[in-house]
Amino acid sequence: MSDNGAIESVVLAGVGGQGILLASEILAKAAMIAGNDVKTNEVHGMAQRGGSVIGQIRYGKKVYSPLVARGTARVLCALEQIEALRYAEYLAPGGLVVVNSQTITPVTVSMGAAKYPKDVEAKLRSVFPRLIYFDAGKRAVEVGDIRAANVVLLGALSTGLDLPMEAWKRAIEDSVKPKFREMNLKAFDIGRSCA
Amino acid sequence: MQILSGNEAFARGVYEAGVTVACGYPGTPSTEILENAVKFKPAIYCEWSPNEKVAFEVAAAAACAGARAIVTMKHVGLNVAADPLMTLSYLGVEGGFVAIVADDPGMHSSQNEQDTRNYARFAKIPLLEPSDSQEAKDFLKLGIEISEKYKTPVIVRTTTRVSHSRSIVELAERVENTRTIGLEKNPPRWVPVPQWARVMRRTVEDRLGKLRADACSSPANRIEWRDKSLGIITASIAYQYVREVWPEASALKLGFSYPYPDDLIRQFAGSVQKVLIVEELDDFLEEHIKAMGIACVGKQFVPNIGELSVTTLQASRAKMEGREVPAETPTPFADELPARPPVLCPGCPHRGVFAALGKYDVIVTGDIGCYSLGAFKPLNRLDIILCMGGGISMAHGLDKAGDKRTIVGIVGDSTFFHSGVTGLMDIAYNKGCSKIIVVDNRTTAMTGHQDHPGTGQTLMGEPTVTISIEEIGRACGFKRVRTINPYNTNETLEVLNEELSVKEPSLIVSRGGCPLHEKKKVGPVRRINQDLCKACRACVRIGCPAIDGGQKKPFINEFLCNGCSLCQQMCAFGAISAVEEKL
C-alpha cells in the first residue's frame, strides 16, 4: 500500500536545556550515513523556558511526516524520568523505553501546587515492559562530563534500533567539537553497555 | 547533501538566489532564517530592523533599486508590515523580492494562529508554500525568479513544522544578480499618487492573470496519480501527512498555491471520483474550489483549529469513511503528572519587577516577550496582553477609560523599540498618567537573544550606537524618567512607591542583562540554612525554578541558581545567604 517502506520513529522527551537537540542531530546523521531518508522535528521558543519538550526523529527509505504519530515510536527515550510517562502515547506496542533516572522538579511542584509522583521506577516498570532505567548523569560523570548524559542515553537507545555502529561513530564525530570526540564516543559505549 | 532545518534551508536558498539584502524582526518560528543568512556575510547584508514594517520597507526599496532582497517575520509580524505590503504590490520591484512569513498553527509560541495565505490574496501577489527543507530552499529561489519575471513581491509561507523540522537538502552554487543597482528615476513607476496608482492597479490585475497561467504549469504544483477513487488537494506540511494517511490516493500537491491554478485544479478534480481538500488552518483552497463549482469535501472532516498531524488526519479519514474514530491512548498516571509550564529562568531580571509589583493594587498591561510569563502563578502580575507595543498604549486606554486603579504598562526593550515608542508619545501628548516600565534585559530574549537598537551591536556583528530608552522617554515628553536595578528589591520598591503615587506619567527603565544571554551568574549561588528557615515560603512565591519548595522547608538547587539574591531579599529570617566560593 505504501511506497515509503518501513519507517523507524524515535521520540526524545525531556526538559528544555537537557541536550535533546544534539542527541536528535546525532541520531539523524547516523540514520543518513546508514543510507536512509531522515526527518526530525524540534521545539523552539516559549516551550524552551524550562518547559516539557520533545524531539522527534524518523528514518527509512522515504520519510514524509517529520512528526511521529501516536503509537508508532520504536524507541521512546526520556532524559527526565516522568517525561517518559507524559509522552507514553507515542510508543509502539513492544517498543523500547530508555529512561534517565534524573528528577527535575517542575515549578508547579516547587510552588506546592502539584506533587512529584512517588515510586517512579515502579510506575515505569508497570507501563513499559521493555525498559532501560538508569542514572545516565552518573555514567556521564565517569567519562568526564555530566553534560554527556544525552549521549550516554543515545548509546542505550541505539540497542533498540538497527543502525550500524560505524554510522553512530561517524555521526558523533561529526556533531561534536574535536576535543569532546573521545569523551562522547566513550559516553556512547557506556550507554550501550547499560542496555 | 546536508540535514537542514527549514529555516537553515531558507537561508541557504537566500544565498544561492544571489540575494544581497536580507532584513527581518525576530519571531518564532522565523528567527533562524536571518541568523543563518548572516553566516554568508559579506555576500549578504543582513539586519535586524526595529520592527517588521521597517524591515519590509528596507528590503522593498532594495528590490526597487534592482537588488535581490528578502524579509523575514512571523505571521503576526506581517500585520505590522501590512501597510508596505499592500502598496508594494502596486509599485512592484526590479530585483527579486520575497517575504518569508512563518505561521504557527497550534500556537506553540504565538498569541494567535492567523493564516498568512489570506494576505497573498489580499495583496494580489503570488504565494509559495514549501512542505520540507529541500522545497524551502528551492521555493525561495523560485520566488525570486517569479518576482523578477513579473516584477511582483512574493510571499513564501512557512509553518512551525516546516521551519523547525530537519530533512536532507541538496546544495547548489550561488547565482549572482547581474543588474546594475540604482533606483530608476521614473515617478509614474514609483509614486502611487491617485492618477498613477490607478494605472498600477490595472497592472496588478493583469499580472494576476499571467501568474495564474504560470501557476498551472509550475513545477511547484504537481499531480501524483494513484488510485482515482479519491483525489486530495493539499499544500505545505499537510501534504506530508496526507501521504502517510492516504498513501493510495491521488494527490494534487500545491506549492504555488496563489493565484489559484484553476485549470490544474479542474483537470485533477475532473479525473477523480471524489475530491478532498486537506489544508492547515483556514479553508483558503476549499472556499475557492467550491466557488469554482467543484464538488469537494474538506473542513467538515479536517480541523480548522490547531495544527494537523498524521493522528488528526487518521481521525478525519475514519470520520469520512464512517468508521469509528480511534480512541486517544490515555497517558499513564495522568492525574499524578505535574504540569511543566515554561517559567522565567533562574536569575531572570524580570522576576524582581513582578515580585515588587505584587505589593501594589495596580492593573498591569503586558506585552509580547519572556515577561508574558509574569501572567502565570505564582507571580500573577500581568492582567492583559494584546500585541507588540500594546503594553504601553493599552495602559493609556485603561487610564482614559476611567479605570480608577493605577495603571502600569510593562514592555521589553526590543518590544519598546519595535512599537512601544509611539505609545509613549501618545501618553505624554494626550496627557495620560500611566506608569510605563521597560524591562530592559539588553536583548531580544524569548526568540533566542537577537540584537536590537539598544544593544550596541548589529546582526553583522559590528559595534554601533546604543540607543537610550531613557533619552527617548525624555524626548517623547516624559518628565519623570527613572532607572532601577531589578536585583535590588529595596531600590525597586522605593522607586515604585514614588512613581506610582504621582499624578503624571512616568517611565521606569528596569535594567538587568539576561543571564542566559550573558552566560554568567548574577552573583554567588545562594543556599537556605535549614535551621534558620521558618518555612514561610516567601522565597517560593517568586516562582524561581532553582528553588525547590516540594518539601516543608524549601531548598535551592545550586546547579540551577544564578545567584540573583532575590530570594535572599525576600527572606525575613536571614536563612538565605551566598555560598562561599571554593578557592
Side-chain angles (χ1 to χ4, degrees):
Chain A
M1 188 156 106
S2 159
D3 67 349
N4 53 342
I7 299 296
E8 300 290 1
S9 294
V10 178
V11 170
L12 306 175
V15 178
Q18 278 197 298
I20 284 185
L21 282 190
L22 177 67
S24 160
E25 182 189 332
I26 293 172
L27 209 172
K29 273 187 191 158
M32 185 175 81
I33 290 165
N36 294 285
D37 185 23
V38 60
K39 284 187 178 171
T40 72
N41 185 266
E42 59 204 43
V43 177
H44 294 246
M46 191 81 137
Q48 278 184 310
R49 297 282 174 272
S52 171
V53 295
I54 64 169
Q56 311 184 48
I57 303 98
R58 305 187 72 220
Y59 66 88
K61 187 163 154 246
K62 167 77 184 159
V63 181
Y64 291 105
S65 168
L67 303 183
V68 176
R70 216 160 55 197
T72 65
R74 170 113 133 181
V75 175
L76 167 65
C77 172
L79 285 77
E80 198 277 359
Q81 54 179 0
I82 59 167
E83 297 307 307
L85 295 170
R86 205 186 301 280
Y87 296 102
E89 60 164 349
Y90 284 99
L91 191 68
L96 174 69
V97 179
V98 178
V99 178
N100 183 10
S101 60
Q102 189 191 4
T103 294
I104 298 178
T105 309
V107 72
T108 46
V109 172
S110 324
M111 286 168 357
K115 286 203 158 40
Y116 195 88
K118 289 196 168 60
D119 307 320
V120 177
E121 183 177 357
K123 288 190 165 87
L124 291 167
R125 294 207 180 278
S126 73
V127 181
F128 304 122
R130 281 180 69 202
L131 175 70
I132 302 171
Y133 177 85
F134 69 110
D135 187 342
K138 196 171 145 195
R139 306 314 299 269
V141 170
E142 287 169 23
V143 299
D145 194 332
I146 190 164
R147 283 172 296 181
N150 53 357
V151 178
V152 171
L153 288 163
L154 264 187
L157 76 82
S158 70
T159 59
L161 299 172
D162 54 1
L163 297 173
M165 270 309 287
E166 185 49 35
W168 284 108
K169 290 220 156 105
R170 272 180 54 200
I172 291 168
E173 285 166 0
D174 199 43
S175 305
V176 302
K177 286 187 183 139
K179 64 173 175 174
F180 298 121
R181 266 181 203 157
E182 203 56 34
M183 183 189 74
N184 278 290
L185 288 170
K186 263 193 221 158
F188 185 84
D189 284 341
I190 282 205
R192 223 175 141 86
S193 69
C194 291
Chain B
M1 285 201 313
Q2 279 189 19
I3 301 177
L4 299 182
S5 71
N7 282 349
E8 288 167 344
F10 278 125
R12 178 71 202 187
V14 168
Y15 171 74
E16 290 179 8
V19 167
T20 53
V21 176
C23 312
Y25 182 78
T28 312
S30 72
T31 313
E32 303 81 11
I33 304 171
L34 277 197
E35 288 184 322
N36 284 286
V38 76
K39 293 176 184 166
F40 297 107
K41 72 178 183 186
I44 310 173
Y45 165 77
C46 296
E47 72 166 48
W48 289 127
S49 311
N51 67 29
E52 295 86 353
K53 178 176 183 289
V54 173
F56 196 104
E57 291 156 351
V58 172
C64 291
R68 289 183 182 149
I70 62 123
V71 59
T72 73
M73 61 197 72
K74 68 185 292 174
H75 58 323
V76 285
L78 191 55
N79 301 333
V80 179
D83 195 2
L85 167 74
M86 299 308 287
T87 305
L88 186 66
S89 170
Y90 282 37
L91 262 57
V93 292
E94 283 298 311
F97 175 92
V98 170
I100 311 175
V101 186
D103 285 3
D104 190 16
M107 296 179 272
H108 297 276
S109 205
S110 303
Q111 63 271 41
N112 76 23
E113 57 175 15
Q114 67 188 47
D115 188 331
T116 290
R117 296 177 300 165
N118 295 299
Y119 266 114
R121 184 165 56 181
F122 193 19
K124 299 175 187 289
I125 60 172
L127 169 71
L128 302 176
E129 295 186 77
S131 70
D132 62 17
S133 299
Q134 182 69 51
E135 285 187 351
K137 182 174 82 81
D138 294 347
F139 286 12
L140 188 282
K141 292 161 78 177
L142 177 65
I144 292 288
E145 204 182 295
I146 295 171
S147 174
E148 291 184 352
K149 182 170 174 192
Y150 293 102
K151 298 183 186 291
T152 174
V154 171
I155 291 179
V156 173
R157 182 243 195 182
T158 176
T159 66
T160 300
R161 299 304 186 177
V162 173
S163 283
H164 290 165
S165 291
R166 294 176 185 276
S167 57
I168 298 172
V169 179
E170 299 252 11
L171 307 187
E173 295 299 312
R174 175 171 166 100
V175 179
E176 295 291 347
N177 179 10
T178 52
R179 282 178 184 72
T180 312
I181 306 300
L183 187 77
E184 180 201 0
K185 271 188 152 318
N186 183 4
R189 170 78 204 276
W190 301 120
V191 183
V193 291
Q195 69 265 39
W196 292 329
R198 287 184 198 113
V199 179
M200 297 174 190
R201 174 72 188 85
R202 288 183 187 286
T203 313
V204 168
E205 220 58 39
D206 292 346
R207 189 178 72 198
L208 267 185
K210 291 176 193 149
L211 281 161
R212 185 167 291 113
D214 255 25
C216 288
S217 59
S218 170
N221 293 331
R222 67 167 185 266
I223 295 176
E224 299 174 357
W225 291 121
R226 283 177 286 271
D227 184 77
K228 292 189 177 172
S229 56
L230 178 67
I232 302 175
I233 303 178
T234 185
S236 186
I237 192 77
Y239 163 78
Q240 309 291 357
Y241 308 145
V242 162
R243 290 294 292 114
E244 299 208 5
V245 176
W246 286 273
E248 79 290 357
S250 292
L252 169 55
K253 195 257 184 217
L254 296 179
F256 184 171
S257 45
Y258 189 83
Y260 300 109
D262 290 350
D263 291 346
L264 191 65
I265 291 169
R266 262 194 212 95
Q267 184 206 338
F268 179 73
S271 310
V272 295
Q273 284 167 30
K274 184 174 182 181
V275 177
L276 167 68
I277 320 285
V278 180
E279 55 191 322
E280 222 165 27
L281 301 183
D282 293 348
D283 54 352
F284 178 78
L285 299 170
E286 183 180 342
E287 190 183 57
H288 176 76
I289 293 169
K290 282 184 170 158
M292 287 168 70
I294 293 171
C296 61
V297 292
K299 289 298 176 191
Q300 70 198 89
F301 300 114
V302 180
N304 65 348
I305 297 175
E307 62 177 354
L308 301 180
S309 67
V310 166
T311 305
T312 58
L313 290 183
Q314 278 164 345
S316 302
R317 180 167 186 168
K319 249 192 275 178
M320 207 169 98
E321 294 172 358
R323 288 183 287 117
E324 204 173 316
V325 175
E328 284 192 22
T329 335
T331 304
F333 303 102
D335 306 345
E336 294 182 44
L337 285 184
R340 213 184 272 282
V343 283
L344 293 176
C345 304
C348 175
H350 302 336
R351 184 173 283 107
V353 174
F354 285 120
L357 277 174
K359 307 209 181 293
Y360 300 90
D361 177 27
V362 291
I363 286 289
V364 182
T365 58
D367 218 300
I368 312 287
C370 289
Y371 46 95
S372 303
L373 297 172
F376 297 140
K377 284 180 189 169
L379 295 166
N380 273 336
R381 216 58 206 101
L382 221 163
D383 300 297
I384 184 170
I385 292 178
L386 182 59
C387 60
M388 292 286 287
I392 295 184
S393 351
M394 292 218 303
H396 184 56
L398 290 179
D399 174 22
K400 290 295 177 187
D403 197 312
K404 296 289 178 235
R405 291 159 293 188
T406 300
I407 313 295
V408 178
I410 288 204
V411 63
D413 42 343
S414 189
T415 309
F416 176 81
F417 291 113
H418 177 282
S419 49
V421 183
T422 40
L424 208 64
M425 283 181 214
D426 192 32
I427 291 170
Y429 170 57
N430 283 310
K431 300 175 170 293
C433 93
S434 312
K435 320 298 175 193
I436 302 303
I437 304 178
V438 180
V439 284
D440 178 8
N441 62 1
R442 319 294 301 144
T443 185
T444 315
M446 179 59 98
T447 45
H449 305 115
Q450 290 75 34
D451 282 300
H452 62 63
T455 65
Q457 184 170 290
T458 68
L459 175 56
M460 300 289 273
E462 289 160 357
T464 183
V465 292
T466 304
I467 296 171
S468 157
I469 297 168
E470 288 90 336
E471 291 296 322
I472 289 181
R474 282 187 272 270
C476 285
F478 273 61
K479 301 269 189 307
R480 303 187 69 93
V481 178
R482 309 287 296 268
T483 306
I484 57 170
N485 169 9
Y487 296 118
N488 184 332
T489 306
N490 284 341
E491 181 194 314
T492 302
L493 287 171
E494 207 172 289
V495 170
L496 284 178
N497 276 338
E498 287 172 27
E499 298 307 314
L500 296 186
S501 62
V502 294
K503 288 273 173 234
E504 57 179 308
S506 170
L507 175 68
I508 302 166
V509 181
S510 161
R511 186 161 288 129
C514 170
L516 226 64
H517 180 44
E518 299 186 349
K519 293 193 174 69
K520 61 175 191 211
K521 292 194 186 288
V522 182
V525 165
R526 295 320 203 255
R527 186 178 290 165
I528 300 176
N529 182 327
Q530 298 289 316
D531 296 334
L532 296 177
C533 175
K534 307 283 184 214
C536 75
R537 305 183 74 80
C539 58
V540 172
R541 281 193 291 274
I542 60 176
C544 175
I547 302 178
D548 193 330
Q551 297 75 32
K552 187 160 178 278
K553 290 188 179 180
F555 72 94
I556 293 172
N557 179 333
E558 293 173 15
F559 188 69
L560 294 177
C561 175
N562 265 324
C564 76
S565 83
L566 196 64
C567 55
Q568 183 177 356
Q569 297 174 64
M570 295 293 148
C571 183
F573 305 101
I576 305 179
S577 58
V579 174
E580 304 266 329
E581 295 286 337
K582 284 183 204 136
L583 292 175

